[in-house]
Amino acid sequence: MKKNIKLLLLSMLCVYGSLFAQEQSTVIFDYIKPYEYVRAGNNLLAKASLSGENTRLFKKIEFKDGKRIDVEHSNGKSWVWLPVIGEPEIIEIKGTNRKLDAKQLFTPLVTSDWGYFNEGTFHIISSSHQDIAWMDTPEYCMHERVNDIIAPALDIMKSDKDYYFGMEQSLNLKEFIEAHPERKSEVLERYKEGRFTWGATYNQPYEGMQMGEQLIREMYFGKLWIKDNFDGVIEETAFNTDVPGRTLQFPQILAKSGVENLFVSRMREGFYDWHSPDGSSVLTYTPGNYGWAAMFYKLFDDDAITALQKIQNRVKMWGEYYRKHNLPPHFAIVLSNDAAGPVDYGNVVKEWNKIVEETGLKIPSLRHSTVTSFLSEIKKPGASFEKLEGDRPNIWAYIHGPGHEKAITASRKAGRILPSAEIFGTVDALLNKNFDDYPASRLSKAFEESIYPDHGWGGKNGHITDSIFRDKLEFAANEADEMLQISLNSISDKINTSKSNGVVVYNDLSWVRNGLATVSIENADTYYVIDEDGNVVPSQKSKQNKNELEFYASNIPSLGYKTYYLRKGKKNTKVDKNVTPNSLSNDFYTLYLNKGGISYLFDETLGKEIMNTTRFSGGDVLSMGYNGNGAGEFTQMTEPNMEDYDKMSNHDSNWEIVADGTIYTDFKNTAKFKHTKVEQRIRVFHQEKKIDFFVDLLDWDGTHNREFRFALPLNMEDSKIKYEVPLAIAEVGETEMKNAPGGWAWGGTYDQKPVTIHPREVMNFIAAENDEFTVTMATDVALADWIDPTREAVDYTVLQGILMASHKSCHGEGNWYHQTGNHHFKFSMSSHEIDNSSSFQFGTGSNHPLRTIYKRNANANGQLSSEMSFFNVSDPMVRISTIKKSEKGNDVILRLVEMEGKDKQPKVELALPIKQLVKTNLIEEEEGKVPASGTDFKLNIGHNAIDTYKLFFSN
């Protein structure tokens, strides 16, 4: 009996202990997935099971409004139908007796308060981010996007009239139409409906990799091509989604091409009014990271209730941002990924909107959309956007310049020469009084090939991609060279030369220039050079080629020429210099040579010692370790390391004089590094204040994870650093965007302030300036630095060019950029008084050599004088970017760029008269007439402006 009583007491204690524990724990509601729900009045009820102890003893759930829902028991589980939408509230779970009753907080799957977005719209933006290659070869990727992405998207649109899709660049549209011309009308119809959109640029490049006119041609082969080939369709949105880098003038290029929106990524989510220095701007939208909504959030992969739940959690944080900026309650969910195909979420959209309609609750509607459509809803009167100024230095910059040195050298050459070919092709056509021989198609093809490589270097089978990119760039550079030469030959035939053996020297820049000119003639050392008046011109025979004579040409007119003559004999000018195998002094510099380069440099005109050679010599070559991977720098650029560190100044010097004359003296030095032989040449000019440095890396063996740099250590601390970017001059600490960009990547948040990013993409020069003088380094490489990269870095400025780096593609199956073989580099330096004009003209001129045409026979019948400027601008910092045949006729396009940051009224002088001048936008669409006629006129050009005009010539 006692035993039974004990068992009964123990059983009761267990039960009540269990009930007590039950009262202290939360009942879990496990919803059936996919959600099973029914409509109930103005709400939905979703089926869920109860998890917890003794749930079989629960019979109903009471809500604060008195509503009761029965708990059903079947198949060993307890079931309940719970409201899907509502506010969190305390509910009471009723048991079979009052002691089993429990209270707890119940939170519906979807709360009824959508805050700022209660009556708004959510936009599903489905698009496909496209590198030209990267996922595989260009051919493979093109086939995939044509057949597995674009065509299926169009097919979905046939059956679902509410479906929208977007591609980010016009190149993809061109590829598709070339593959399926029979579907062009279908594409146009979808385009006009706004359901299938394409980006306004040709592709998505490294913006700072391209020269100015190349970057502008993104709009010619993008927006203008679309308009011309698709019944006048106006594309309003440009994309450069992937690359964490923006160049200074890109907003102006877009705005002056009629593009209203820019979509970017890897930047804090939001809406920005992004300004170029001239004040023009473009609405810039970023979702934070373009791929994550598709890869991780997977908002629409289930049903509408799941989508409601996930999106509500996502947008809660955005109400205050929208309210602060008075933005309409439209929110975008960007579903994009690399080479992503179309996914039709039509069922989820219909289910979502049916819920909204049937419940009558204030829940945002859902629709398929595009970036353009979404932003058109955002840009309502009263909306304000965060003002953003400045550029964002590209942290992926190692992938193109140092990683693909020869390809990018060709890209830069094409970018420089193609506008010159346009200019002199136009001049020749004007002189011929017709454009019959103007190479419009050939120029167009070369320009298109010169901008074909995008940000997708390397990747899977990247050796094929990189080879194709390089071939296209070298083709463009060679075409530019040939077309320019043809035009110069034709113009030269029209020049009146009173004597035989004439040499016409051409200047392809828009200011008067001096510099080295070279003419090919047999037995060059038996000739000297005179000008039109018979004055002897400094000359010397080339040491590299016995049949080349070099001479110093002076005062060559802007975008024009000057004629010289060769004469038999030995005459030359005197030059004041003192030269030994390891030292030199002339009117400009005194320098000493030692290990690694210049050990002492004194500027005779400034009275200043220019270099600090305590750590490096002037012209030193550094070899370091580098373990970065170019386009996988998340979220900061990888710095070089000291692994197997070496430098030219660690090696004994063996300087010798290899050329000496009235124009320049060349010194040579060689050293054997671990993986390459390094040959240095230093050329000191006697007719101008200039020193050239030639660096040859010979028989480089391609060892992985190495980097080479060229260095100029300066006698400067706390210097201002200025450098050329496309169509502008940037300054470290002044022209970058001021805050960390935010946004996210695999490595975390982009929390590095742009001012700290180095090295940087540069065009033609980088300069260091203090209160006393400036040193300008002209460079033909894509990346430059100014901070000592070595251990125990020095405080003074060290200007550097990054020569090459043998790193690997960040793609898991990507290639190594080993770049075996020989590499050749050239730098120039000059020290001068503080003057932006000097830096700009010196840097640009160093990469635009004067060109010559030899005229063996006299031509007394030529209609052109022996010296002429075809186009000239009175202000040296207003550059003529190009002069070309109009896209729509035989009129002439003139493009000017203000490089100094000041409002100006320059005078433009022409060799031939015009009858009318029309202002156009960047892609030559007319905006209005400008009062002007004759052979000169004045223009108003704002600071940092890129202005385009159409000239109607009299003849």
Side-chain angles (χ1 to χ4, degrees), residues 482-502:
E482 288 185 16
M483 285 185 284
L484 177 56
Q485 194 65 32
I486 290 169
S487 295
L488 297 184
N489 284 334
S490 179
I491 294 169
S492 298
D493 288 342
K494 302 175 180 66
I495 297 173
N496 188 312
T497 47
S498 57
K499 299 177 280 290
S500 61
N501 289 329

Side-chain angles (χ1 to χ4, degrees), residues 104-118:
Q104 70 180 53
L105 179 68
F106 168 70
T107 302
L109 290 171
V110 181
T111 67
S112 56
D113 182 13
W114 287 80
Y116 195 85
F117 299 97
N118 272 345

Side-chain angles (χ1 to χ4, degrees), residues 620-671:
D620 224 332
V621 179
L622 285 57
S623 174
M624 311 178 72
Y626 175 72
N627 296 318
N629 55 18
E633 306 288 359
F634 304 122
T635 56
Q636 295 189 13
M637 187 179 290
T638 302
E639 297 181 357
N641 59 63
M642 299 296 287
E643 184 177 349
D644 286 337
Y645 172 62
D646 199 3
K647 58 181 177 176
M648 199 73 175
S649 51
N650 284 344
H651 299 258
D652 290 335
S653 63
N654 53 0
W655 290 103
E656 59 177 319
I657 299 171
V658 293
D660 186 38
T662 58
I663 305 176
Y664 62 80
T665 300
D666 267 7
F667 301 91
K668 180 182 174 183
N669 179 41
T670 59

Side-chain angles (χ1 to χ4, degrees), residues 31 43-46 63 67 69 81-86 106 108-109:
Y31 293 91
N43 208 332
L44 307 175
L45 297 178
F63 292 82
K67 182 178 180 179
I69 297 177
W81 289 82
L82 295 170
V84 172
I85 303 166
F106 168 70
L109 290 171

